[in-house]
Amino acid sequence: MDGLRLAATDIGDRIALALQALRRAPGVDVRRPLLRIDYRPEAASAPFRFDMAGGKLHRTGCSAIVQAPAQALYSVWDPGEELPALACAKCQPAPIESAHMRQDSSLDIIYGFLSVVDQFGSVLKERGREYRNSRRGRRLAKDLSGMFSALDHTQREALQLTLASLDGLVRAMEQANRSLAPAGPGNNGRSNNGRPAASRAADNRKNKEV
Amino acid sequence: MTPDSLDALIRSHRQQVERTLRPLIRRYYPGMLTAADGLEYRKMIELSSKMAMVGRACTLIAGFPFDARRLRIGSLFGACCFLGDSFLDDFGEAAALEYLKRCEMLLTKGWFEPRDDRERLFYVVLGRLFAERDVLDPTLRQAIFSLFLSQKEDVELRAGSSEFQKRPRRLQLHMLRQCARNRGGNTSTVLALLLVPNLPLEYHYVIFTAGSLFMYVDDHGDCHYDRHYRRLTYMNQVKRPVPALRAIFERGIDLIGRGLPGSEGRELLIAFLQRYYLTRLRKHRLERSRGVLSWTVYG
Protein backbone atom coordinates (compact mmCIF):
# COMPACT_ATOMS: atom_id res chain seq x y z
CA MET A 1 0.00 0.00 0.00
CA ASP A 2 2.87 2.34 0.90
CA GLY A 3 4.60 1.52 -2.38
CA LEU A 4 1.41 2.31 -4.27
CA ARG A 5 1.04 5.64 -2.47
CA LEU A 6 4.67 6.52 -3.18
CA ALA A 7 4.18 5.77 -6.86
CA ALA A 8 1.04 7.91 -6.91
CA THR A 9 2.74 10.88 -5.21
CA ASP A 10 5.68 10.51 -7.58
CA ILE A 11 3.31 10.72 -10.55
CA GLY A 12 1.57 13.66 -8.86
CA ASP A 13 4.91 15.50 -8.53
CA ARG A 14 5.64 14.93 -12.21
CA ILE A 15 2.23 16.17 -13.26
CA ALA A 16 2.52 19.24 -11.04
CA LEU A 17 5.94 20.10 -12.51
CA ALA A 18 4.78 19.34 -16.06
CA LEU A 19 1.82 21.71 -15.57
CA GLN A 20 4.19 24.55 -14.76
CA ALA A 21 6.28 23.69 -17.82
CA LEU A 22 3.12 24.26 -19.90
CA ARG A 23 3.50 27.94 -19.15
CA ARG A 24 6.07 28.12 -21.95
CA ALA A 25 4.05 25.99 -24.37
CA PRO A 26 2.91 27.86 -27.49
CA GLY A 27 -0.73 28.86 -27.51
CA VAL A 28 -1.22 28.69 -23.73
CA ASP A 29 -2.67 31.91 -22.36
CA VAL A 30 -0.78 32.45 -19.09
CA ARG A 31 -2.94 35.42 -18.17
CA ARG A 32 -5.71 32.95 -17.46
CA PRO A 33 -5.61 31.08 -14.16
CA LEU A 34 -4.52 27.49 -13.84
CA LEU A 35 -5.75 27.39 -10.25
CA ARG A 36 -6.99 30.32 -8.20
CA ILE A 37 -6.68 30.15 -4.42
CA ASP A 38 -7.48 33.84 -3.95
CA TYR A 39 -11.05 33.90 -2.77
CA ARG A 40 -11.73 37.60 -2.36
CA PRO A 41 -14.28 38.00 -5.18
CA GLU A 42 -16.56 35.25 -3.81
CA ALA A 43 -15.89 36.08 -0.16
CA ALA A 44 -17.28 39.58 -0.62
CA SER A 45 -20.81 38.23 -1.01
CA ALA A 46 -20.89 36.02 2.11
CA PRO A 47 -23.63 36.84 4.64
CA PHE A 48 -21.33 36.71 7.69
CA ARG A 49 -17.83 37.70 8.75
CA PHE A 50 -15.94 35.94 11.53
CA ASP A 51 -13.30 37.91 13.38
CA MET A 52 -10.65 35.29 14.16
CA ALA A 53 -8.77 37.60 16.51
CA GLY A 54 -11.82 38.73 18.48
CA GLY A 55 -13.88 35.55 18.23
CA LYS A 56 -17.05 37.33 17.08
CA LEU A 57 -19.40 36.55 14.21
CA HIS A 58 -20.92 39.57 12.44
CA ARG A 59 -23.41 40.18 9.70
CA THR A 60 -21.65 41.49 6.61
CA GLY A 61 -21.74 45.26 6.87
CA CYS A 62 -21.94 45.37 10.68
CA SER A 63 -20.33 48.60 11.91
CA ALA A 64 -18.40 46.68 14.60
CA ILE A 65 -16.39 44.96 11.83
CA VAL A 66 -14.42 48.15 11.29
CA GLN A 67 -12.52 47.35 14.47
CA ALA A 68 -11.43 43.97 13.13
CA PRO A 69 -8.23 43.64 11.03
CA ALA A 70 -8.89 42.56 7.43
CA GLN A 71 -6.44 39.65 7.52
CA ALA A 72 -8.14 38.16 10.55
CA LEU A 73 -11.62 38.50 9.06
CA TYR A 74 -13.05 35.40 7.37
CA SER A 75 -16.17 35.23 5.26
CA VAL A 76 -18.66 32.65 6.50
CA TRP A 77 -21.72 31.19 4.80
CA ASP A 78 -22.87 28.67 7.35
CA PRO A 79 -21.76 29.38 10.92
CA GLY A 80 -23.17 26.11 12.21
CA GLU A 81 -24.66 25.55 15.60
CA GLU A 82 -22.25 27.71 17.57
CA LEU A 83 -23.74 30.94 16.27
CA PRO A 84 -25.41 32.15 19.50
CA ALA A 85 -22.18 31.83 21.49
CA LEU A 86 -20.18 33.79 18.94
CA ALA A 87 -22.75 36.30 17.69
CA CYS A 88 -21.97 40.01 17.75
CA ALA A 89 -24.32 41.71 20.21
CA LYS A 90 -24.69 44.69 17.91
CA CYS A 91 -25.81 43.07 14.63
CA GLN A 92 -27.15 39.78 16.05
CA PRO A 93 -26.64 37.52 13.01
CA ALA A 94 -29.33 34.91 12.32
CA PRO A 95 -28.54 31.45 10.87
CA ILE A 96 -31.40 31.20 8.35
CA GLU A 97 -29.67 33.54 5.89
CA SER A 98 -27.14 30.94 4.80
CA ALA A 99 -29.68 28.33 3.67
CA HIS A 100 -29.85 29.33 -0.02
CA MET A 101 -26.16 29.79 -0.70
CA ARG A 102 -25.44 26.40 -2.24
CA GLN A 103 -25.01 25.94 -5.99
CA ASP A 104 -25.13 23.12 -8.46
CA SER A 105 -21.66 21.56 -8.46
CA SER A 106 -22.07 19.53 -11.67
CA LEU A 107 -22.42 22.75 -13.68
CA ASP A 108 -19.13 24.00 -12.24
CA ILE A 109 -17.42 20.76 -13.21
CA ILE A 110 -18.57 21.18 -16.83
CA TYR A 111 -17.33 24.77 -16.76
CA GLY A 112 -14.05 23.60 -15.29
CA PHE A 113 -13.65 20.96 -17.99
CA LEU A 114 -14.42 23.49 -20.70
CA SER A 115 -12.01 26.04 -19.30
CA VAL A 116 -9.21 23.45 -19.38
CA VAL A 117 -10.07 22.47 -22.96
CA ASP A 118 -10.28 26.14 -23.89
CA GLN A 119 -7.02 27.18 -22.22
CA PHE A 120 -4.94 24.18 -23.20
CA GLY A 121 -6.68 23.41 -26.48
CA SER A 122 -3.56 23.83 -28.60
CA VAL A 123 -1.55 21.51 -26.37
CA LEU A 124 -4.34 18.92 -26.35
CA LYS A 125 -4.64 19.04 -30.15
CA GLU A 126 -0.91 18.54 -30.54
CA ARG A 127 -0.96 15.60 -28.12
CA GLY A 128 -4.02 14.22 -29.91
CA ARG A 129 -2.23 14.27 -33.28
CA GLU A 130 0.81 12.53 -31.77
CA TYR A 131 -1.38 9.95 -30.08
CA ARG A 132 -3.39 9.26 -33.22
CA ASN A 133 -0.16 8.40 -35.08
CA SER A 134 1.28 6.29 -32.27
CA ARG A 135 0.98 2.49 -32.17
CA ARG A 136 -1.50 2.63 -29.28
CA GLY A 137 -3.53 5.28 -31.07
CA ARG A 138 -3.71 3.26 -34.28
CA ARG A 139 -4.74 0.17 -32.31
CA LEU A 140 -7.47 2.15 -30.55
CA ALA A 141 -8.73 3.48 -33.91
CA LYS A 142 -8.87 -0.07 -35.24
CA ASP A 143 -10.74 -1.30 -32.16
CA LEU A 144 -13.23 1.56 -32.37
CA SER A 145 -13.77 0.95 -36.07
CA GLY A 146 -14.35 -2.77 -35.41
CA MET A 147 -16.74 -1.99 -32.60
CA PHE A 148 -18.66 0.50 -34.76
CA SER A 149 -19.02 -1.95 -37.66
CA ALA A 150 -20.40 -4.59 -35.29
CA LEU A 151 -23.32 -2.36 -34.34
CA ASP A 152 -26.64 -2.75 -36.07
CA HIS A 153 -28.40 0.17 -37.76
CA THR A 154 -30.45 1.23 -34.68
CA GLN A 155 -27.42 1.08 -32.41
CA ARG A 156 -25.39 3.21 -34.84
CA GLU A 157 -28.10 5.81 -35.00
CA ALA A 158 -28.33 5.90 -31.20
CA LEU A 159 -24.56 6.31 -30.89
CA GLN A 160 -24.47 9.08 -33.49
CA LEU A 161 -27.30 10.86 -31.74
CA THR A 162 -25.45 10.64 -28.40
CA LEU A 163 -22.22 11.94 -29.94
CA ALA A 164 -24.07 14.76 -31.68
CA SER A 165 -25.79 15.68 -28.41
CA LEU A 166 -22.49 15.74 -26.53
CA ASP A 167 -20.92 17.82 -29.27
CA GLY A 168 -23.87 20.18 -29.19
CA LEU A 169 -23.69 20.42 -25.42
CA VAL A 170 -19.98 21.26 -25.49
CA ARG A 171 -20.56 23.94 -28.14
CA ALA A 172 -23.49 25.43 -26.24
CA MET A 173 -21.53 25.49 -23.00
CA GLU A 174 -18.53 27.06 -24.70
CA GLN A 175 -20.74 29.73 -26.19
CA ALA A 176 -22.46 30.36 -22.86
CA ASN A 177 -19.11 30.45 -21.08
CA ARG A 178 -17.83 33.16 -23.41
CA SER A 179 -20.99 35.23 -23.39
CA LEU A 180 -21.33 35.07 -19.59
CA ALA A 181 -17.72 35.94 -18.91
CA PRO A 182 -16.53 38.22 -21.71
CA ALA A 183 -13.73 39.65 -19.56
CA GLY A 184 -12.19 36.21 -19.33
CA PRO A 185 -10.11 35.28 -16.36
CA GLY A 186 -11.72 37.32 -13.59
CA ASN A 187 -13.66 34.55 -11.95
CA ASN A 188 -12.46 31.39 -13.59
CA GLY A 189 -15.64 31.06 -15.58
CA ARG A 190 -17.80 30.79 -12.48
CA SER A 191 -20.86 32.69 -11.58
CA ASN A 192 -20.24 34.87 -8.60
CA ASN A 193 -23.40 34.91 -6.57
CA GLY A 194 -22.51 33.18 -3.39
CA ARG A 195 -20.74 30.12 -2.27
CA PRO A 196 -19.30 28.23 -5.23
CA ALA A 197 -19.39 24.51 -5.76
CA ALA A 198 -15.91 24.22 -4.37
CA SER A 199 -17.45 24.78 -0.97
CA ARG A 200 -18.96 21.32 -0.98
CA ALA A 201 -17.47 20.70 2.43
CA ALA A 202 -19.95 18.19 3.74
CA ASP A 203 -19.75 15.58 1.00
CA ASN A 204 -16.23 16.04 -0.26
CA ARG A 205 -14.25 12.82 -0.12
CA LYS A 206 -10.90 14.47 0.45
CA ASN A 207 -12.27 16.42 3.37
CA LYS A 208 -14.15 13.61 5.01
CA GLU A 209 -12.81 12.52 8.36
CA VAL A 210 -11.92 8.85 8.43
CA MET B 1 1.41 16.24 30.55
CA THR B 2 4.81 15.72 32.18
CA PRO B 3 8.02 17.24 30.75
CA ASP B 4 9.32 13.72 30.06
CA SER B 5 6.26 12.64 28.10
CA LEU B 6 6.40 15.91 26.11
CA ASP B 7 10.09 15.27 25.35
CA ALA B 8 9.31 11.73 24.22
CA LEU B 9 6.49 12.96 21.96
CA ILE B 10 8.68 15.65 20.39
CA ARG B 11 11.46 13.13 19.72
CA SER B 12 9.06 10.64 18.19
CA HIS B 13 7.49 13.30 15.96
CA ARG B 14 10.89 14.58 14.89
CA GLN B 15 11.87 11.08 13.74
CA GLN B 16 8.62 10.59 11.84
CA VAL B 17 8.83 14.03 10.24
CA GLU B 18 12.34 13.21 9.07
CA ARG B 19 11.11 9.96 7.54
CA THR B 20 8.58 11.93 5.50
CA LEU B 21 10.80 14.81 4.41
CA ARG B 22 14.25 13.34 3.93
CA PRO B 23 13.42 11.29 0.79
CA LEU B 24 11.71 14.32 -0.72
CA ILE B 25 14.72 16.55 -0.06
CA ARG B 26 17.14 13.89 -1.29
CA ARG B 27 15.22 13.75 -4.53
CA TYR B 28 14.48 17.40 -5.25
CA TYR B 29 17.05 19.43 -3.32
CA PRO B 30 19.93 17.15 -2.24
CA GLY B 31 22.21 20.14 -1.70
CA MET B 32 20.25 21.03 1.42
CA LEU B 33 21.38 17.86 3.18
CA THR B 34 25.05 18.77 2.95
CA ALA B 35 25.13 22.60 2.83
CA ALA B 36 26.59 24.18 6.00
CA ASP B 37 26.91 20.72 7.52
CA GLY B 38 23.19 20.15 7.16
CA LEU B 39 22.27 23.07 9.45
CA GLU B 40 19.44 24.34 7.25
CA TYR B 41 18.07 20.81 6.89
CA ARG B 42 18.02 20.36 10.66
CA LYS B 43 16.26 23.70 11.06
CA MET B 44 13.64 22.59 8.58
CA ILE B 45 13.11 19.33 10.47
CA GLU B 46 12.80 21.30 13.71
CA LEU B 47 10.16 23.67 12.30
CA SER B 48 8.29 20.78 10.73
CA SER B 49 8.34 18.88 14.03
CA LYS B 50 6.87 21.96 15.69
CA MET B 51 4.08 22.00 13.09
CA ALA B 52 3.48 18.30 13.64
CA MET B 53 3.17 18.89 17.40
CA VAL B 54 0.78 21.82 16.96
CA GLY B 55 -1.11 19.84 14.32
CA ARG B 56 -1.42 16.90 16.69
CA ALA B 57 -2.86 19.21 19.37
CA CYS B 58 -5.37 20.79 16.94
CA THR B 59 -6.49 17.38 15.69
CA LEU B 60 -7.00 15.98 19.17
CA ILE B 61 -8.85 19.15 20.23
CA ALA B 62 -11.31 18.52 17.39
CA GLY B 63 -11.73 14.91 18.54
CA PHE B 64 -9.96 13.13 15.67
CA PRO B 65 -6.95 10.79 15.75
CA PHE B 66 -3.60 12.17 14.67
CA ASP B 67 -2.94 9.41 12.17
CA ALA B 68 -0.15 8.86 9.64
CA ARG B 69 -1.85 11.01 7.01
CA ARG B 70 -2.20 13.96 9.37
CA LEU B 71 1.40 13.57 10.45
CA ARG B 72 2.38 13.69 6.78
CA ILE B 73 0.27 16.85 6.27
CA GLY B 74 1.86 18.50 9.34
CA SER B 75 5.35 17.62 8.11
CA LEU B 76 4.70 18.92 4.59
CA PHE B 77 3.16 22.11 5.97
CA GLY B 78 6.25 22.70 8.13
CA ALA B 79 8.53 22.23 5.13
CA CYS B 80 6.37 24.54 3.06
CA CYS B 81 6.49 27.26 5.74
CA PHE B 82 10.24 26.85 6.19
CA LEU B 83 10.98 27.21 2.47
CA GLY B 84 8.42 29.99 1.99
CA ASP B 85 9.92 31.95 4.90
CA SER B 86 13.42 31.40 3.56
CA PHE B 87 12.46 33.04 0.27
CA LEU B 88 11.37 36.11 2.21
CA ASP B 89 14.13 36.16 4.82
CA ASP B 90 17.36 34.76 3.43
CA PHE B 91 18.07 36.38 0.08
CA GLY B 92 17.73 40.10 0.71
CA GLU B 93 14.87 42.56 0.44
CA ALA B 94 14.83 42.75 -3.38
CA ALA B 95 14.53 38.95 -3.63
CA ALA B 96 11.83 38.98 -0.94
CA LEU B 97 9.75 41.45 -2.97
CA GLU B 98 10.23 39.39 -6.12
CA TYR B 99 9.13 36.23 -4.29
CA LEU B 100 6.05 38.02 -3.00
CA LYS B 101 5.09 38.82 -6.60
CA ARG B 102 5.64 35.22 -7.66
CA CYS B 103 3.67 33.90 -4.70
CA GLU B 104 0.83 36.24 -5.56
CA MET B 105 0.91 34.89 -9.10
CA LEU B 106 0.85 31.35 -7.69
CA LEU B 107 -2.18 32.06 -5.52
CA THR B 108 -4.13 34.12 -8.03
CA LYS B 109 -3.25 32.24 -11.25
CA GLY B 110 -1.62 28.98 -10.20
CA TRP B 111 1.59 29.64 -12.12
CA PHE B 112 4.95 29.20 -10.41
CA GLU B 113 7.84 28.15 -12.57
CA PRO B 114 10.52 26.62 -10.32
CA ARG B 115 13.94 28.03 -11.25
CA ASP B 116 16.20 25.98 -9.00
CA ASP B 117 16.23 22.98 -6.66
CA ARG B 118 14.98 24.95 -3.64
CA GLU B 119 12.01 26.29 -5.59
CA ARG B 120 11.34 22.87 -7.07
CA LEU B 121 11.22 21.34 -3.59
CA PHE B 122 8.91 24.13 -2.41
CA TYR B 123 6.57 23.61 -5.33
CA VAL B 124 6.50 19.81 -4.98
CA VAL B 125 5.85 20.09 -1.22
CA LEU B 126 3.03 22.56 -1.92
CA GLY B 127 1.62 20.29 -4.63
CA ARG B 128 1.60 17.30 -2.28
CA LEU B 129 0.00 19.36 0.45
CA PHE B 130 -2.72 20.62 -1.87
CA ALA B 131 -3.35 17.07 -3.06
CA GLU B 132 -4.12 15.94 0.50
CA ARG B 133 -7.19 18.14 0.92
CA ASP B 134 -9.79 20.07 -1.03
CA VAL B 135 -7.70 23.18 -1.35
CA LEU B 136 -10.65 25.03 -2.91
CA ASP B 137 -12.64 24.82 0.30
CA PRO B 138 -13.71 28.46 0.96
CA THR B 139 -12.31 28.72 4.49
CA LEU B 140 -9.01 27.06 3.60
CA ARG B 141 -8.64 29.31 0.55
CA GLN B 142 -9.25 32.36 2.69
CA ALA B 143 -6.75 31.19 5.29
CA ILE B 144 -4.04 30.57 2.69
CA PHE B 145 -4.56 33.94 1.05
CA SER B 146 -4.79 35.76 4.40
CA LEU B 147 -1.50 34.15 5.40
CA PHE B 148 0.05 35.41 2.18
CA LEU B 149 -1.29 38.94 2.78
CA SER B 150 0.05 38.88 6.35
CA GLN B 151 3.49 37.83 5.08
CA LYS B 152 3.37 40.57 2.50
CA GLU B 153 2.49 43.15 5.13
CA ASP B 154 5.30 41.87 7.32
CA VAL B 155 7.88 42.31 4.55
CA GLU B 156 6.59 45.83 3.91
CA LEU B 157 6.51 46.83 7.59
CA ARG B 158 9.79 45.30 8.65
CA ALA B 159 11.69 47.40 6.12
CA GLY B 160 10.40 50.47 8.01
CA SER B 161 9.58 52.66 5.02
CA SER B 162 9.69 56.42 5.44
CA GLU B 163 5.90 56.45 5.36
CA PHE B 164 5.83 53.99 8.27
CA GLN B 165 8.44 56.00 10.20
CA LYS B 166 6.28 59.12 9.92
CA ARG B 167 3.50 57.51 11.94
CA PRO B 168 3.32 58.00 15.73
CA ARG B 169 5.34 55.37 17.58
CA ARG B 170 2.25 54.03 19.31
CA LEU B 171 0.59 53.37 15.96
CA GLN B 172 3.77 51.78 14.60
CA LEU B 173 3.81 49.37 17.54
CA HIS B 174 0.13 48.62 17.08
CA MET B 175 0.65 47.83 13.39
CA LEU B 176 3.66 45.61 14.09
CA ARG B 177 1.84 43.78 16.85
CA GLN B 178 -1.24 43.19 14.72
CA CYS B 179 0.88 42.02 11.80
CA ALA B 180 2.69 39.43 13.99
CA ARG B 181 -0.63 38.24 15.37
CA ASN B 182 -2.12 37.79 11.91
CA ARG B 183 0.95 36.00 10.56
CA GLY B 184 0.94 33.49 13.40
CA GLY B 185 -2.83 33.22 13.61
CA ASN B 186 -3.28 32.54 9.92
CA THR B 187 -0.41 30.03 9.91
CA SER B 188 -2.07 27.94 12.62
CA THR B 189 -5.46 28.36 10.93
CA VAL B 190 -4.14 26.95 7.63
CA LEU B 191 -2.54 24.05 9.49
CA ALA B 192 -5.72 23.32 11.47
CA LEU B 193 -7.87 23.42 8.33
CA LEU B 194 -5.54 21.09 6.45
CA LEU B 195 -5.84 18.64 9.34
CA VAL B 196 -9.50 19.10 10.28
CA PRO B 197 -11.41 20.76 7.40
CA ASN B 198 -14.67 21.27 9.28
CA LEU B 199 -13.27 22.66 12.50
CA PRO B 200 -15.93 24.67 14.40
CA LEU B 201 -15.55 28.46 14.44
CA GLU B 202 -15.21 28.65 18.22
CA TYR B 203 -12.08 26.48 18.01
CA HIS B 204 -10.66 28.60 15.22
CA TYR B 205 -10.66 31.64 17.46
CA VAL B 206 -8.56 29.84 20.08
CA ILE B 207 -6.21 28.24 17.54
CA PHE B 208 -5.69 31.62 15.88
CA THR B 209 -4.67 32.99 19.29
CA ALA B 210 -2.31 30.05 19.87
CA GLY B 211 -0.71 30.70 16.48
CA SER B 212 -0.18 34.35 17.34
CA LEU B 213 1.56 33.33 20.59
CA PHE B 214 3.99 31.17 18.62
CA MET B 215 4.75 34.16 16.41
CA TYR B 216 5.43 36.60 19.27
CA VAL B 217 7.60 34.01 20.97
CA ASP B 218 9.45 33.30 17.71
CA ASP B 219 10.02 37.00 17.07
CA HIS B 220 11.45 37.38 20.56
CA GLY B 221 13.76 34.44 19.93
CA ASP B 222 14.85 35.98 16.62
CA CYS B 223 15.19 39.49 18.09
CA HIS B 224 18.96 39.80 17.59
CA TYR B 225 18.85 38.17 14.17
CA ASP B 226 16.14 40.57 13.02
CA ARG B 227 17.96 43.58 14.44
CA HIS B 228 21.13 42.46 12.71
CA TYR B 229 19.28 42.64 9.39
CA ARG B 230 17.44 45.84 10.40
CA ARG B 231 14.04 44.21 10.38
CA LEU B 232 11.33 45.70 12.53
CA THR B 233 9.09 43.44 14.58
CA TYR B 234 6.87 44.22 17.53
CA MET B 235 9.13 42.20 19.81
CA ASN B 236 12.32 44.04 18.88
CA GLN B 237 10.68 47.49 19.00
CA VAL B 238 8.67 47.32 22.22
CA LYS B 239 10.59 48.90 25.12
CA ARG B 240 10.48 46.06 27.65
CA PRO B 241 10.10 42.93 25.53
CA VAL B 242 10.29 40.28 28.25
CA PRO B 243 7.44 41.64 30.43
CA ALA B 244 5.45 42.50 27.27
CA LEU B 245 5.81 38.95 25.98
CA ARG B 246 4.96 37.49 29.38
CA ALA B 247 1.73 39.52 29.53
CA ILE B 248 0.70 38.48 25.99
CA PHE B 249 1.62 34.89 26.69
CA GLU B 250 -0.27 34.61 29.97
CA ARG B 251 -3.41 36.14 28.46
CA GLY B 252 -3.22 33.75 25.53
CA ILE B 253 -2.72 30.66 27.68
CA ASP B 254 -5.65 31.73 29.83
CA LEU B 255 -7.84 32.08 26.73
CA ILE B 256 -6.80 28.63 25.46
CA GLY B 257 -7.61 27.15 28.88
CA ARG B 258 -11.04 28.80 29.01
CA GLY B 259 -11.94 28.61 25.32
CA LEU B 260 -11.48 24.89 24.77
CA PRO B 261 -13.10 21.93 26.48
CA GLY B 262 -10.74 19.76 28.51
CA SER B 263 -8.91 17.30 26.24
CA GLU B 264 -5.54 15.73 25.61
CA GLY B 265 -5.15 18.15 22.70
CA ARG B 266 -5.67 21.23 24.87
CA GLU B 267 -3.15 19.98 27.44
CA LEU B 268 -0.63 19.24 24.70
CA LEU B 269 -1.09 22.68 23.11
CA ILE B 270 -0.54 24.45 26.43
CA ALA B 271 2.42 22.25 27.44
CA PHE B 272 4.10 22.68 24.06
CA LEU B 273 3.52 26.44 24.01
CA GLN B 274 5.07 26.75 27.46
CA ARG B 275 8.07 24.68 26.39
CA TYR B 276 8.42 26.79 23.26
CA TYR B 277 8.20 30.01 25.26
CA LEU B 278 10.97 28.94 27.67
CA THR B 279 13.31 27.78 24.90
CA ARG B 280 12.88 31.01 22.92
CA LEU B 281 13.57 33.11 26.02
CA ARG B 282 16.76 31.08 26.33
CA LYS B 283 17.57 31.54 22.65
CA HIS B 284 17.14 35.30 23.05
CA ARG B 285 19.60 35.33 25.95
CA LEU B 286 22.08 33.08 24.16
CA GLU B 287 22.07 35.14 20.99
CA ARG B 288 22.75 38.30 22.93
CA SER B 289 26.11 36.79 23.89
CA ARG B 290 26.83 34.41 21.01
CA GLY B 291 25.62 36.35 18.01
CA VAL B 292 22.87 35.75 15.54
CA LEU B 293 23.76 32.27 14.37
CA SER B 294 22.82 30.24 17.43
CA TRP B 295 19.57 28.34 17.57
CA THR B 296 17.83 26.23 20.13
CA VAL B 297 15.75 23.10 19.84
CA TYR B 298 12.83 22.64 22.18
CA GLY B 299 12.99 19.01 23.24
Side-chain angles (χ1 to χ4, degrees):
Chain A
M1 189 61 194
D2 259 5
L4 203 64
R5 198 185 63 74
L6 280 176
T9 49
D10 187 44
I11 291 168
D13 294 348
R14 284 163 191 259
I15 291 173
L17 289 165
L19 269 174
Q20 292 300 330
L22 275 179
R23 196 174 174 200
R24 295 195 181 276
V28 173
D29 185 355
V30 293
R31 290 167 304 176
R32 298 180 57 187
L34 183 66
L35 173 74
R36 182 169 56 84
I37 301 295
D38 179 11
Y39 201 59
R40 288 171 296 181
E42 294 89 343
S45 61
F48 306 112
R49 299 284 187 275
F50 185 63
D51 174 8
M52 288 277 192
K56 282 283 166 244
L57 186 79
H58 304 270
R59 286 172 189 268
T60 298
C62 170
S63 56
I65 290 177
V66 181
Q67 307 294 326
Q71 282 136 32
L73 208 58
Y74 281 53
S75 291
V76 173
W77 284 261
D78 182 4
E81 291 168 4
E82 325 114 76
L83 197 148
L86 305 168
C88 163
K90 196 169 185 178
C91 64
Q92 299 176 340
I96 192 72
E97 295 169 37
S98 63
H100 56 87
M101 299 307 290
R102 295 186 188 282
Q103 288 186 345
D104 180 10
S105 63
S106 53
L107 196 63
D108 274 356
I109 291 170
I110 293 175
Y111 272 120
F113 177 71
L114 288 175
S115 76
V116 170
V117 172
D118 198 19
Q119 187 173 9
F120 300 105
S122 58
V123 178
L124 290 173
K125 271 182 205 163
E126 191 59 35
R127 294 300 306 263
R129 270 186 218 115
E130 279 176 27
Y131 186 72
R132 190 194 285 215
N133 294 326
S134 70
R135 212 172 75 177
R136 284 171 68 91
R138 283 198 296 271
R139 197 190 305 153
L140 181 72
K142 201 174 158 190
D143 289 351
L144 283 175
S145 166
M147 194 179 81
F148 196 70
S149 61
L151 299 176
D152 64 26
H153 182 68
T154 317
Q155 287 169 324
R156 275 188 208 186
E157 276 191 344
L159 182 63
Q160 269 164 352
L161 186 68
T162 308
L163 290 174
S165 307
L166 281 174
D167 194 41
L169 176 67
V170 170
R171 280 172 203 279
M173 293 304 294
E174 271 181 330
Q175 208 170 6
N177 192 19
R178 288 194 182 113
S179 62
L180 283 172
N187 199 22
N188 209 8
R190 280 197 185 126
S191 84
N192 210 4
N193 59 340
R195 196 178 192 184
S199 64
R200 58 205 177 272
D203 61 352
N204 187 286
R205 190 186 59 80
K206 278 169 88 180
N207 280 350
K208 266 195 179 166
E209 299 311 329
V210 286
Chain B
M1 172 162 259
T2 65
D4 284 348
S5 60
L6 182 65
D7 279 339
L9 201 57
I10 292 170
R11 275 198 299 275
S12 134
H13 277 59
R14 191 184 288 125
Q15 282 171 1
Q16 293 175 73
V17 162
E18 194 157 10
R19 273 203 289 273
T20 302
L21 296 181
R22 196 178 176 90
L24 251 176
I25 296 164
R26 197 185 297 126
R27 174 155 195 176
Y28 291 102
Y29 185 23
M32 185 188 232
L33 295 170
T34 49
D37 210 15
L39 180 70
E40 194 181 25
Y41 168 70
R42 282 184 289 130
K43 282 188 173 183
M44 180 197 258
I45 296 298
E46 210 56 26
L47 176 68
S48 303
S49 305
K50 168 186 152 188
M51 291 301 181
M53 291 292 289
V54 178
R56 180 186 187 91
C58 293
T59 307
L60 297 177
I61 285 166
F64 293 102
F66 191 66
D67 52 19
R69 181 188 180 198
R70 288 192 169 97
L71 179 66
R72 192 167 63 242
I73 291 174
S75 310
L76 290 170
F77 183 68
C80 188
C81 289
F82 181 86
L83 292 165
D85 284 350
S86 80
F87 293 144
L88 301 181
D89 294 341
D90 298 346
F91 302 100
E93 291 306 301
L97 293 173
E98 194 216 1
Y99 272 116
L100 280 176
K101 275 187 191 158
R102 292 180 66 206
C103 282
E104 187 159 9
M105 170 75 97
L106 175 66
L107 296 177
T108 54
K109 306 271 184 190
W111 297 111
F112 180 85
E113 259 184 304
R115 299 178 298 196
D116 55 27
D117 285 355
R118 179 185 285 265
E119 291 183 6
R120 197 164 294 112
L121 177 64
F122 171 71
Y123 179 70
V124 165
V125 165
L126 194 70
R128 287 194 181 188
L129 201 53
F130 281 11
E132 291 285 353
R133 290 290 184 200
D134 177 9
V135 77
L136 295 180
D137 172 83
T139 315
L140 181 56
R141 283 169 84 171
Q142 290 182 76
I144 293 170
F145 206 75
S146 293
L147 175 56
F148 165 71
L149 291 176
S150 309
Q151 298 275 33
K152 190 177 175 187
E153 186 185 25
D154 177 55
V155 170
E156 287 160 3
L157 286 183
R158 78 187 183 192
S161 66
S162 54
E163 198 180 318
F164 179 74
Q165 300 288 359
K166 280 181 204 157
R167 295 175 192 268
R169 179 167 163 76
R170 200 172 161 184
L171 181 59
Q172 287 180 16
L173 283 175
H174 175 73
M175 289 169 75
L176 288 168
R177 183 172 171 167
Q178 200 160 279
C179 177
R181 183 188 62 189
N182 293 344
R183 262 193 307 151
N186 284 316
T187 303
S188 60
T189 303
V190 174
L191 174 63
L193 285 166
L194 285 167
L195 294 165
V196 186
N198 298 317
L199 195 69
L201 282 182
E202 56 187 330
Y203 291 177
H204 272 303
Y205 166 45
V206 181
I207 286 168
F208 191 92
T209 302
S212 71
L213 292 187
F214 277 110
M215 190 53 67
Y216 291 125
V217 171
D218 256 338
D219 281 350
H220 183 64
D222 291 339
C223 176
H224 301 288
Y225 180 89
D226 288 333
R227 277 193 184 154
H228 181 79
Y229 288 101
R230 299 178 192 282
R231 288 174 187 154
L232 306 183
T233 66
Y234 175 72
M235 290 313 305
N236 71 20
Q237 291 302 298
V238 69
K239 265 190 183 157
R240 298 175 64 226
V242 175
L245 181 60
R246 190 188 308 125
I248 292 171
F249 191 77
E250 285 173 359
R251 267 200 307 276
I253 292 290
D254 180 55
L255 191 147
I256 295 167
R258 280 184 296 106
L260 294 173
S263 70
E264 192 190 333
R266 185 183 74 175
E267 300 320 307
L268 173 60
L269 184 61
I270 291 174
F272 187 62
L273 262 165
Q274 281 167 338
R275 170 68 60 87
Y276 201 72
Y277 174 60
L278 293 176
T279 56
R280 298 302 111 163
L281 285 178
R282 184 161 163 256
K283 180 176 187 276
H284 181 96
R285 285 196 300 272
L286 282 175
E287 287 195 352
R288 195 182 329 201
S289 52
R290 280 192 204 161
V292 297
L293 292 175
S294 77
W295 63 289
T296 310
V297 297
Y298 34 79

